């Protein structure tokens, strides 16, 4: 009885896990009080954006009400939101970030 012809043959290789993690968007929300400079600092410092990207994203949020700061696996997205929230609170700005499935 050769392998491959019966249902009880043992697989030669265990299945390799190739599953991608579900990704989540960290969305920055506009407000009237947080300074543009602070939002740029957040985008550079928390989301590793270049100065040019940070300026572009900040202006997008300012003009459109919301914009994507970055896309990450859930736990990382959650940590970014917590970091933004606590830095904003510390600086006494109302800046908010939320998570959405990408
Ligand atoms: N609208 C703010 C201002 O005019 C700037 C701002 C941009 C605030 C993006 C929050 O997520 C934000 N000072």
């Amino acid at each position: 009885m050769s392998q491959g012809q019966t249902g009880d043959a043992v697989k030669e290789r265990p299945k390799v896990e190739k599953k991608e993690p579900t990704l989540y968007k960290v969305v920055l929300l506009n407000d009237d009080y947080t300074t543009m400079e602070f939002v740029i600092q957040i985008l550079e410092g928390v989301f590793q954006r270049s100065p040019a990207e940070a300026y572009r994203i900040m202006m997008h949020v300012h003009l459109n009400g919301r914009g994507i700061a970055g896309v990450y696996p859930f736990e990382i997205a959650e940590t970014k939101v917590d970091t933004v929230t606590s830095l904003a609170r510390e600086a006494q700005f109302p800046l908010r970030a939320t998570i959405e499935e990408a």
Side-chain angles (χ1 to χ4, degrees):
M1 206 188 306
S2 70
Q3 201 178 326
Q5 290 178 325
T6 67
D8 57 359
V10 175
K11 279 189 181 160
E12 285 176 26
R13 286 209 288 173
K15 203 181 222 167
V16 176
E17 273 298 332
K18 287 182 194 152
K19 205 174 50 154
E20 300 297 334
T22 308
L23 294 178
Y24 295 82
K25 297 182 276 203
V26 176
V27 177
L28 271 189
L29 304 177
N30 189 35
D31 66 75
D32 291 340
Y33 303 103
T34 306
T35 62
M36 292 183 170
E37 182 55 41
F38 184 78
V39 177
I40 289 170
Q41 271 181 42
I42 291 286
L43 286 162
E44 291 183 21
V46 179
F47 298 95
Q48 279 82 53
R49 297 297 184 166
S50 69
E53 283 176 325
Y55 180 80
R56 180 186 60 76
I57 295 167
M58 181 283 296
M59 281 309 293
H60 177 93
V61 176
H62 177 67
L63 296 172
N64 297 281
R66 46 184 281 137
I68 299 167
V71 176
Y72 307 94
F74 187 76
E75 280 191 27
I76 295 173
E78 214 178 20
T79 304
K80 301 276 185 199
V81 168
D82 289 348
T83 303
V84 170
T85 304
S86 70
L87 289 173
R89 192 178 304 146
E90 206 175 306
Q92 298 192 294
F93 287 129
L95 179 63
R96 292 206 308 126
T98 60
I99 294 176
E100 291 179 10
E101 199 166 325

XYZ file of all heavy atoms in Angstrom:
821
model
N 0.861 -1.195 0.000
C 0.000 0.000 0.000
C 0.892 1.238 0.000
O 1.573 1.523 0.963
C -0.864 -0.038 1.269
C -2.126 0.723 1.066
S -3.019 0.873 2.595
C -3.166 -0.821 3.137
N 0.886 2.017 -1.066
C 1.809 3.160 -1.121
C 1.147 4.430 -0.582
O -0.055 4.593 -0.659
C 2.285 3.386 -2.549
O 1.220 3.864 -3.322
N 1.977 5.294 -0.059
C 1.503 6.559 0.512
C 0.859 7.408 -0.582
O 1.314 7.419 -1.709
C 2.708 7.287 1.108
C 2.314 8.311 2.140
C 3.546 8.958 2.732
O 4.565 8.305 2.877
N 3.450 10.225 3.038
N -0.204 8.113 -0.257
C -0.875 8.948 -1.246
C -2.108 8.269 -1.804
O -2.984 8.923 -2.319
N -2.194 6.932 -1.650
C -3.377 6.234 -2.177
C -4.398 5.919 -1.097
O -5.504 5.526 -1.405
C -2.934 4.933 -2.866
C -2.197 5.237 -4.158
C -1.710 3.976 -4.833
O -1.337 3.018 -4.172
N -1.725 3.983 -6.160
N -3.985 6.066 0.168
C -4.939 5.826 1.239
C -5.117 7.093 2.052
O -4.282 7.982 2.031
C -4.446 4.705 2.184
O -3.297 5.185 2.867
C -4.137 3.449 1.417
N -6.202 7.146 2.810
C -6.483 8.327 3.615
C -5.677 8.366 4.894
O -5.610 9.403 5.541
N -5.033 7.273 5.279
C -4.355 7.267 6.573
C -2.839 7.451 6.470
O -2.115 7.277 7.424
C -4.696 5.989 7.355
C -4.348 4.736 6.565
O -3.870 4.872 5.417
O -4.558 3.647 7.092
N -2.346 7.865 5.318
C -0.909 8.111 5.196
C -0.529 9.328 6.053
O -1.260 10.300 6.109
C -0.551 8.390 3.751
N 0.610 9.229 6.694
C 1.066 10.345 7.526
C 1.667 11.414 6.608
O 2.446 11.103 5.711
C 2.122 9.855 8.544
C 2.697 11.025 9.344
C 1.510 8.816 9.478
N 1.295 12.674 6.848
C 1.841 13.757 6.029
C 3.350 13.870 6.253
O 3.832 13.764 7.376
C 1.185 15.090 6.408
C -0.165 15.261 5.746
C -0.687 16.663 5.969
C -2.053 16.795 5.320
N -2.797 17.916 5.884
N 4.073 14.077 5.163
C 5.526 14.154 5.293
C 5.968 15.442 5.966
O 6.966 15.472 6.660
C 6.166 14.065 3.905
C 6.129 12.639 3.377
C 6.671 12.550 1.977
O 7.492 13.401 1.612
O 6.237 11.627 1.251
N 5.238 16.527 5.708
C 5.635 17.813 6.303
C 4.485 18.415 7.097
O 3.360 18.459 6.603
C 6.007 18.798 5.186
C 7.352 18.456 4.576
C 8.020 19.686 4.046
N 7.365 20.177 2.832
C 7.700 21.333 2.268
N 8.614 22.095 2.819
N 7.100 21.713 1.170
N 4.791 18.915 8.298
C 3.729 19.626 9.022
C 3.392 20.909 8.279
O 4.244 21.475 7.587
C 4.355 19.930 10.388
C 5.829 19.823 10.182
C 6.064 18.906 9.022
N 2.130 21.316 8.404
C 1.692 22.539 7.707
C 2.468 23.750 8.252
O 2.566 23.926 9.459
C 0.197 22.724 7.985
C -0.492 23.575 6.946
C -1.953 23.735 7.303
C -2.851 23.611 6.094
N -4.256 23.466 6.494
N 3.002 24.561 7.362
C 3.699 25.775 7.790
C 2.661 26.889 7.911
O 1.884 27.103 6.984
C 4.785 26.174 6.763
C 5.450 27.487 7.170
C 5.815 25.065 6.630
N 2.635 27.556 9.061
C 1.675 28.640 9.292
C 2.073 29.873 8.482
O 3.115 30.459 8.699
C 1.617 29.004 10.786
C 0.635 28.150 11.573
C -0.812 28.291 11.121
O -1.182 29.374 10.607
O -1.563 27.309 11.282
N 1.212 30.282 7.542
C 1.522 31.449 6.722
C 0.478 32.545 6.903
O 0.403 33.488 6.135
C 1.578 31.053 5.249
C 2.804 30.245 4.891
C 2.801 29.935 3.408
C 3.806 28.861 3.074
N 3.406 28.093 1.887
N -0.349 32.369 7.932
C -1.457 33.301 8.136
C -0.944 34.715 8.453
O -0.117 34.903 9.335
C -2.316 32.786 9.288
C -3.738 33.239 9.244
C -4.553 32.569 10.328
C -3.844 32.701 11.656
N -4.662 32.653 12.825
N -1.468 35.697 7.725
C -1.102 37.097 7.986
C -1.966 37.614 9.135
O -3.139 37.277 9.215
C -1.388 37.945 6.741
C -0.634 37.516 5.494
C 0.868 37.646 5.623
O 1.305 38.501 6.423
O 1.592 36.907 4.948
N -1.415 38.478 9.998
C -2.264 39.047 11.047
C -3.261 40.036 10.440
O -2.940 40.689 9.444
C -1.277 39.772 11.966
C -0.093 40.047 11.121
C -0.049 38.983 10.051
N -4.455 40.123 11.023
C -5.416 41.145 10.592
C -4.827 42.512 10.933
O -4.263 42.687 12.005
C -6.749 40.953 11.328
O -7.149 39.602 11.166
C -7.824 41.873 10.765
N -4.947 43.454 10.009
C -4.358 44.776 10.231
C -5.433 45.806 10.586
O -6.577 45.688 10.158
C -3.588 45.223 8.994
C -2.355 44.372 8.668
C -1.694 44.864 7.390
C -1.363 44.349 9.821
N -4.994 46.771 11.367
C -5.894 47.822 11.853
C -5.300 49.187 11.570
O -4.099 49.397 11.725
C -6.122 47.649 13.362
C -6.855 46.368 13.666
C -6.175 45.152 13.733
C -8.239 46.370 13.804
C -6.856 43.960 13.963
C -8.930 45.188 14.037
C -8.226 43.987 14.112
O -8.904 42.817 14.323
N -6.186 50.116 11.186
C -5.753 51.497 10.943
C -5.815 52.282 12.247
O -6.801 52.166 12.986
C -6.713 52.186 9.954
C -6.729 51.540 8.589
C -7.644 52.284 7.641
C -9.075 51.821 7.802
N -9.916 52.076 6.609
N -4.784 53.060 12.501
C -4.864 54.043 13.577
C -5.254 55.366 12.915
O -4.519 55.885 12.067
C -3.539 54.181 14.346
C -3.646 55.300 15.385
C -3.174 52.864 15.016
N -6.439 55.853 13.267
C -7.013 57.054 12.647
C -6.877 58.240 13.608
O -7.280 58.144 14.769
C -8.512 56.810 12.308
C -9.156 58.068 11.740
C -8.643 55.645 11.341
N -6.294 59.314 13.114
C -6.179 60.547 13.913
C -7.378 61.430 13.607
O -7.791 61.563 12.448
C -4.926 61.329 13.522
C -3.600 61.058 14.225
C -2.599 62.119 13.789
C -3.744 61.024 15.732
N -7.930 62.049 14.653
C -9.101 62.910 14.487
C -8.725 64.379 14.654
O -7.876 64.716 15.490
C -10.162 62.528 15.532
C -10.582 61.052 15.511
C -11.566 60.771 16.635
C -11.182 60.666 14.157
N -9.360 65.225 13.866
C -9.098 66.664 13.963
C -9.800 67.257 15.184
O -10.782 66.700 15.689
C -9.601 67.373 12.706
C -9.151 68.817 12.661
O -8.046 69.150 13.098
N -10.003 69.694 12.149
N -9.260 68.341 15.677
C -9.946 69.161 16.682
C -9.450 70.591 16.498
O -8.533 70.833 15.704
C -9.670 68.636 18.109
C -8.219 68.800 18.490
O -7.801 69.946 18.775
O -7.473 67.803 18.496
N -10.044 71.531 17.246
C -9.698 72.952 17.044
C -8.569 73.436 17.946
O -8.141 74.588 17.821
C -10.930 73.825 17.314
C -12.000 73.635 16.260
O -11.676 73.152 15.156
O -13.175 73.961 16.548
N -8.104 72.616 18.875
C -7.194 73.113 19.928
C -5.781 72.554 19.869
O -4.831 73.236 20.280
C -7.803 72.822 21.309
C -9.167 73.438 21.449
C -10.312 72.653 21.350
C -9.314 74.820 21.618
C -11.576 73.215 21.449
C -10.580 75.398 21.712
C -11.705 74.595 21.629
O -12.949 75.161 21.713
N -5.628 71.303 19.415
C -4.282 70.720 19.337
C -3.476 71.481 18.283
O -3.991 71.762 17.197
C -4.365 69.221 18.967
O -5.237 68.574 19.894
C -3.000 68.569 19.006
N -2.237 71.831 18.607
C -1.442 72.596 17.635
C -0.962 71.674 16.505
O -0.763 70.466 16.699
C -0.211 73.241 18.308
O 0.624 72.199 18.819
C -0.624 74.180 19.438
N -0.773 72.287 15.358
C -0.241 71.542 14.208
C 1.138 70.971 14.551
O 1.452 69.832 14.185
C -0.146 72.470 13.000
C -1.512 72.877 12.482
S -1.376 73.908 11.006
C -3.083 73.952 10.490
N 1.934 71.761 15.253
C 3.277 71.339 15.651
C 3.238 70.060 16.501
O 4.025 69.132 16.286
C 3.946 72.491 16.421
C 5.366 72.227 16.860
C 6.294 71.832 15.718
O 6.213 72.419 14.619
O 7.101 70.909 15.943
N 2.278 69.988 17.445
C 2.176 68.811 18.314
C 1.781 67.572 17.501
O 2.332 66.483 17.699
C 1.155 69.065 19.429
C 1.061 67.928 20.412
C 2.017 67.766 21.398
C 0.013 67.003 20.342
C 1.950 66.703 22.303
C -0.074 65.942 21.236
C 0.899 65.792 22.217
N 0.841 67.734 16.572
C 0.407 66.601 15.744
C 1.586 66.092 14.893
O 1.799 64.883 14.757
C -0.799 66.989 14.853
C -1.199 65.837 13.939
C -1.977 67.409 15.721
N 2.364 67.010 14.359
C 3.551 66.626 13.579
C 4.539 65.855 14.456
O 5.069 64.814 14.049
C 4.198 67.874 12.935
C 3.290 68.393 11.810
C 5.584 67.559 12.402
C 3.687 69.755 11.254
N 4.750 66.333 15.682
C 5.637 65.621 16.642
C 5.149 64.210 16.906
O 5.949 63.270 16.981
C 5.618 66.346 17.985
C 6.641 67.443 18.162
C 6.493 68.053 19.567
O 6.307 67.365 20.557
N 6.552 69.378 19.621
N 3.834 64.052 17.071
C 3.242 62.735 17.324
C 3.466 61.811 16.113
O 3.852 60.646 16.257
C 1.718 62.877 17.605
C 1.483 63.561 18.942
C 0.985 61.534 17.514
C 1.752 62.712 20.160
N 3.226 62.343 14.932
C 3.370 61.520 13.717
C 4.825 61.092 13.507
O 5.088 59.964 13.078
C 2.821 62.275 12.505
C 1.282 62.343 12.478
C 0.808 63.448 11.529
C 0.695 60.993 12.049
N 5.752 61.972 13.832
C 7.168 61.624 13.698
C 7.611 60.668 14.818
O 8.293 59.677 14.560
C 8.035 62.888 13.732
C 7.863 63.761 12.486
C 8.786 64.986 12.488
O 9.804 64.962 13.199
O 8.483 65.938 11.777
N 7.213 60.981 16.041
C 7.723 60.253 17.208
C 7.033 58.926 17.466
O 7.682 57.951 17.865
N 5.711 58.853 17.249
C 4.960 57.634 17.570
C 4.765 56.763 16.327
O 4.769 55.537 16.425
C 3.588 57.992 18.201
C 2.774 56.742 18.521
C 3.762 58.863 19.440
N 4.633 57.402 15.165
C 4.320 56.639 13.950
C 5.487 56.586 12.962
O 5.322 56.127 11.827
C 3.071 57.228 13.282
C 1.849 57.134 14.160
C 1.459 58.185 14.973
C 1.107 55.960 14.213
C 0.357 58.092 15.808
C -0.006 55.847 15.031
C -0.381 56.917 15.837
N 6.660 57.042 13.406
C 7.896 56.988 12.606
C 7.728 57.564 11.196
O 8.264 57.033 10.221
C 8.412 55.535 12.514
C 9.201 55.091 13.741
C 8.298 54.652 14.872
O 7.428 53.805 14.657
N 8.466 55.223 16.031
N 6.968 58.643 11.108
C 6.807 59.319 9.808
C 7.944 60.324 9.603
O 8.430 60.924 10.558
C 5.472 60.074 9.777
C 4.264 59.166 9.895
C 4.199 58.231 8.734
N 3.013 57.393 8.742
C 2.620 56.688 7.700
N 3.293 56.719 6.573
N 1.547 55.943 7.781
N 8.325 60.519 8.339
C 9.318 61.554 8.015
C 8.670 62.926 8.240
O 7.428 63.026 8.265
C 9.744 61.420 6.553
O 8.667 61.784 5.714
N 9.460 63.981 8.381
C 8.866 65.315 8.542
C 7.885 65.659 7.411
O 6.819 66.229 7.668
C 10.088 66.241 8.539
C 11.189 65.386 9.100
C 10.935 64.004 8.557
N 8.202 65.299 6.175
C 7.316 65.610 5.041
C 6.007 64.821 5.120
O 4.923 65.376 4.899
C 8.025 65.328 3.715
N 6.095 63.532 5.465
C 4.883 62.707 5.615
C 4.039 63.211 6.777
O 2.805 63.255 6.677
C 5.268 61.251 5.938
C 5.749 60.425 4.797
C 6.176 59.033 5.279
O 6.710 58.904 6.404
O 5.971 58.088 4.519
N 4.703 63.538 7.872
C 3.998 64.008 9.067
C 3.215 65.286 8.737
O 2.047 65.417 9.112
C 4.980 64.251 10.209
N 3.837 66.191 8.007
C 3.164 67.439 7.624
C 1.956 67.138 6.724
O 0.856 67.675 6.932
C 4.140 68.388 6.907
C 3.483 69.672 6.510
C 3.284 70.688 7.441
C 3.010 69.863 5.207
C 2.627 71.873 7.088
C 2.363 71.041 4.849
C 2.186 72.034 5.792
O 1.524 73.191 5.444
N 2.161 66.245 5.751
C 1.087 65.899 4.812
C -0.099 65.257 5.547
O -1.255 65.623 5.309
C 1.635 64.942 3.745
C 0.616 64.511 2.703
C 1.150 63.451 1.743
N 1.577 62.228 2.398
C 0.753 61.291 2.867
N -0.555 61.446 2.757
N 1.226 60.210 3.455
N 0.186 64.306 6.445
C -0.894 63.617 7.175
C -1.615 64.603 8.098
O -2.849 64.628 8.166
C -0.337 62.408 7.965
C 0.201 61.347 7.000
C -1.424 61.807 8.869
C 1.045 60.259 7.660
N -0.842 65.431 8.798
C -1.447 66.424 9.702
C -2.387 67.346 8.917
O -3.523 67.599 9.353
C -0.336 67.223 10.400
C -0.830 68.280 11.381
S -1.455 69.779 10.603
C 0.041 70.393 9.824
N -1.929 67.846 7.748
C -2.775 68.741 6.946
C -4.015 68.017 6.430
O -5.100 68.611 6.358
C -1.978 69.332 5.769
C -1.063 70.480 6.155
S -1.878 71.801 7.103
C -3.014 72.472 5.884
N -3.844 66.732 6.074
C -4.995 65.949 5.613
C -6.055 65.871 6.723
O -7.252 66.063 6.465
C -4.556 64.541 5.173
C -5.704 63.673 4.768
N -6.132 63.561 3.457
C -6.546 62.921 5.508
C -7.191 62.766 3.425
N -7.460 62.362 4.659
N -5.609 65.586 7.947
C -6.548 65.492 9.078
C -7.178 66.856 9.346
O -8.396 66.959 9.556
C -5.825 64.961 10.351
C -6.779 64.955 11.548
C -5.264 63.565 10.108
N -6.364 67.889 9.320
C -6.855 69.259 9.560
C -7.951 69.626 8.549
O -8.966 70.235 8.907
C -5.671 70.228 9.457
C -6.035 71.661 9.599
N -6.515 72.199 10.774
C -5.975 72.687 8.700
C -6.747 73.495 10.587
N -6.430 73.818 9.349
N -7.760 69.268 7.297
C -8.701 69.663 6.239
C -9.879 68.711 6.083
O -10.955 69.120 5.646
C -7.960 69.773 4.894
C -6.881 70.860 4.821
C -6.083 70.738 3.524
C -7.498 72.255 4.939
N -9.678 67.424 6.425
C -10.709 66.415 6.156
C -11.364 65.848 7.414
O -12.297 65.042 7.305
C -10.116 65.260 5.334
C -9.644 65.727 3.971
O -10.434 65.902 3.046
N -8.350 65.977 3.842
N -10.836 66.188 8.571
C -11.461 65.738 9.817
C -10.842 64.491 10.399
O -10.934 64.248 11.600
N -10.216 63.675 9.563
C -9.607 62.434 10.024
C -8.605 61.937 8.991
O -8.665 62.322 7.822
C -10.663 61.362 10.286
C -11.676 61.273 9.143
C -12.770 60.287 9.424
N -12.286 58.946 9.169
C -12.513 57.901 9.946
N -13.231 58.029 11.033
N -12.045 56.729 9.633
N -7.701 61.084 9.435
C -6.726 60.540 8.494
C -5.945 59.409 9.143
O -5.911 59.285 10.373
N -5.338 58.577 8.307
C -4.634 57.383 8.794
C -3.190 57.734 9.169
O -2.411 58.184 8.334
C -4.654 56.294 7.705
C -6.102 55.900 7.387
C -3.853 55.067 8.160
C -6.224 55.076 6.114
N -2.883 57.479 10.439
C -1.508 57.701 10.911
C -0.626 56.500 10.576
O 0.564 56.652 10.300
C -1.516 57.940 12.417
N -1.224 55.277 10.610
C -0.463 54.066 10.310
C -1.357 52.845 10.353
O -2.504 52.934 10.798
N -0.830 51.691 9.899
C -1.582 50.430 9.843
C -0.734 49.348 10.522
O 0.435 49.173 10.160
C -1.896 50.051 8.378
C -2.589 48.704 8.288
C -2.754 51.131 7.715
N -1.336 48.647 11.497
C -0.569 47.736 12.361
C -1.428 46.553 12.808
O -2.648 46.631 12.804
C -0.128 48.475 13.644
C 0.598 49.753 13.400
C -0.094 50.971 13.386
C 1.969 49.782 13.162
C 0.569 52.172 13.146
C 2.640 50.969 12.928
C 1.934 52.154 12.918
O 2.579 53.341 12.673
N -0.770 45.466 13.280
C -1.506 44.408 13.987
C -2.185 45.008 15.231
O -1.712 46.035 15.751
C -0.413 43.411 14.399
C 0.730 43.679 13.481
C 0.664 45.147 13.149
N -3.244 44.352 15.720
C -4.104 44.972 16.739
C -3.360 45.483 17.968
O -3.573 46.625 18.385
C -5.209 44.004 17.177
C -6.212 44.664 18.083
C -7.178 45.526 17.561
C -6.165 44.451 19.452
C -8.080 46.162 18.396
C -7.070 45.092 20.290
C -8.030 45.940 19.761
N -2.515 44.647 18.550
C -1.877 45.057 19.817
C -0.980 46.270 19.646
O -0.884 47.115 20.536
C -1.055 43.908 20.412
C -1.926 42.913 21.141
C -1.110 41.911 21.952
O 0.016 42.250 22.364
O -1.614 40.798 22.147
N -0.333 46.361 18.497
C 0.532 47.519 18.237
C -0.326 48.764 18.016
O -0.041 49.829 18.565
C 1.478 47.233 17.048
C 2.430 46.096 17.437
C 2.249 48.486 16.632
C 3.321 45.589 16.325
N -1.416 48.610 17.256
C -2.334 49.734 17.016
C -2.873 50.259 18.347
O -2.921 51.485 18.580
C -3.478 49.293 16.112
N -3.256 49.322 19.226
C -3.804 49.686 20.532
C -2.769 50.471 21.362
O -3.097 51.476 22.000
C -4.143 48.378 21.259
C -5.335 48.428 22.144
C -5.595 47.065 22.773
O -4.680 46.213 22.832
O -6.736 46.853 23.206
N -1.526 50.001 21.328
C -0.452 50.681 22.072
C -0.203 52.083 21.516
O 0.014 53.031 22.279
C 0.849 49.847 22.022
O 0.550 48.537 22.521
C 1.947 50.465 22.862
N -0.253 52.238 20.191
C -0.063 53.566 19.573
C -1.155 54.521 20.045
O -0.883 55.681 20.377
C -0.111 53.481 18.041
C 0.929 52.570 17.417
C 2.259 53.226 17.222
C 3.221 52.310 16.477
N 4.618 52.730 16.655
N -2.413 54.035 20.054
C -3.527 54.875 20.504
C -3.320 55.292 21.957
O -3.506 56.469 22.310
C -4.888 54.145 20.324
C -6.000 54.889 21.049
C -5.216 54.011 18.843
N -2.918 54.343 22.808
C -2.667 54.659 24.225
C -1.555 55.697 24.358
O -1.647 56.613 25.180
C -2.258 53.403 25.000
C -3.412 52.431 25.192
O -4.571 52.827 24.921
O -3.168 51.287 25.608
N -0.500 55.555 23.560
C 0.622 56.498 23.625
C 0.181 57.896 23.190
O 0.493 58.879 23.861
C 1.783 55.998 22.730
O 2.147 54.688 23.163
C 2.995 56.911 22.826
N -0.574 57.977 22.076
C -1.083 59.278 21.613
C -1.945 59.910 22.698
O -1.793 61.098 23.026
C -1.911 59.131 20.311
C -2.632 60.431 19.958
C -1.024 58.676 19.162
N -2.850 59.099 23.264
C -3.779 59.610 24.273
C -3.021 60.151 25.488
O -3.327 61.238 25.975
C -4.773 58.506 24.697
O -5.428 58.037 23.519
C -5.807 59.012 25.676
N -2.007 59.417 25.952
C -1.333 59.894 27.159
C -0.408 61.078 26.874
O -0.318 61.988 27.695
C -0.632 58.752 27.916
O 0.460 58.298 27.188
N 0.245 61.112 25.702
C 1.075 62.290 25.365
C 0.197 63.535 25.211
O 0.574 64.629 25.640
C 1.874 62.044 24.083
C 3.031 61.036 24.171
C 3.616 60.758 22.785
C 4.122 61.551 25.117
N -0.979 63.361 24.603
C -1.897 64.492 24.408
C -2.410 64.990 25.762
O -2.436 66.204 26.007
C -3.054 64.072 23.513
N -2.770 64.053 26.625
C -3.271 64.431 27.953
C -2.198 65.197 28.728
O -2.473 66.232 29.338
C -3.704 63.173 28.715
C -4.507 63.465 29.967
C -4.942 62.188 30.661
N -5.694 61.300 29.768
C -5.643 59.972 29.805
N -4.841 59.346 30.637
N -6.384 59.256 28.980
N -0.987 64.676 28.673
C 0.152 65.308 29.352
C 0.362 66.747 28.865
O 0.641 67.652 29.645
C 1.387 64.475 29.011
C 2.538 64.504 29.995
C 3.612 63.509 29.541
O 3.261 62.309 29.336
O 4.751 63.928 29.354
N 0.216 66.938 27.534
C 0.407 68.276 26.952
C -0.876 69.111 27.008
O -0.908 70.240 26.521
C 0.878 68.135 25.508
N -1.933 68.523 27.576
C -3.248 69.180 27.711
C -3.863 69.570 26.376
O -4.426 70.657 26.213
C -3.126 70.377 28.656
C -2.700 69.927 30.064
C -2.845 71.024 31.075
O -2.145 72.046 31.019
N -3.772 70.859 31.996
N -3.756 68.634 25.412
C -4.444 68.791 24.131
C -5.544 67.724 24.023
O -5.372 66.611 24.536
C -3.474 68.611 22.963
C -2.521 69.770 22.790
C -1.155 69.538 22.691
C -2.993 71.082 22.692
C -0.271 70.594 22.518
C -2.113 72.144 22.518
C -0.755 71.903 22.434
N -6.642 68.015 23.319
C -7.740 67.047 23.215
C -7.571 66.029 22.069
O -8.512 65.301 21.748
C -8.959 67.940 22.976
C -8.405 69.105 22.238
C -7.014 69.322 22.763
N -6.379 65.990 21.463
C -6.134 65.098 20.315
C -6.592 63.666 20.610
O -6.276 63.114 21.663
C -4.628 65.087 20.003
C -4.185 64.194 18.839
C -4.790 64.669 17.525
C -2.660 64.157 18.752
N -7.309 63.070 19.640
C -7.793 61.691 19.803
C -7.416 60.830 18.602
O -7.341 61.296 17.474
C -9.318 61.667 19.971
C -9.775 62.294 21.276
C -11.095 61.743 21.751
N -12.119 61.802 20.707
C -12.831 60.740 20.307
N -12.644 59.539 20.809
N -13.752 60.900 19.376
N -7.189 59.549 18.885
C -6.919 58.564 17.833
C -7.819 57.357 18.073
O -8.127 57.033 19.222
C -5.456 58.151 17.878
N -8.259 56.708 17.002
C -9.106 55.511 17.137
C -8.557 54.398 16.234
O -7.715 54.637 15.378
C -10.564 55.801 16.713
O -10.546 56.221 15.343
C -11.197 56.886 17.549
N -9.091 53.188 16.456
C -8.661 52.020 15.676
C -9.812 51.564 14.773
O -10.959 51.517 15.211
C -8.272 50.868 16.623
C -7.045 51.236 17.432
C -8.014 49.589 15.823
C -6.668 50.196 18.458
N -9.483 51.251 13.519
C -10.475 50.667 12.606
C -9.847 49.499 11.862
O -8.649 49.547 11.549
C -10.890 51.710 11.545
C -11.698 52.835 12.130
C -12.080 53.861 11.075
O -11.877 53.607 9.875
O -12.589 54.911 11.474
N -10.648 48.470 11.561
C -10.118 47.343 10.797
C -9.712 47.843 9.407
O -10.453 48.609 8.788
C -11.159 46.223 10.698
C -10.517 44.904 10.334
C -11.437 43.714 10.543
O -12.225 43.728 11.500
O -11.345 42.780 9.721
N -8.521 47.449 8.964
C -8.010 47.962 7.671
C -8.695 47.288 6.481
O -9.197 46.191 6.605
C -6.505 47.770 7.589
N -6.974 71.678 13.555
C -5.797 71.925 14.361
C -5.424 73.397 14.297
O -5.902 74.128 13.456
C -4.617 71.069 13.891
C -4.857 69.604 14.017
C -4.500 68.739 12.984
C -5.415 69.063 15.184
C -4.692 67.373 13.088
C -5.595 67.677 15.297
O -5.399 65.486 14.385
C -5.240 66.838 14.261
N -4.548 73.836 15.216
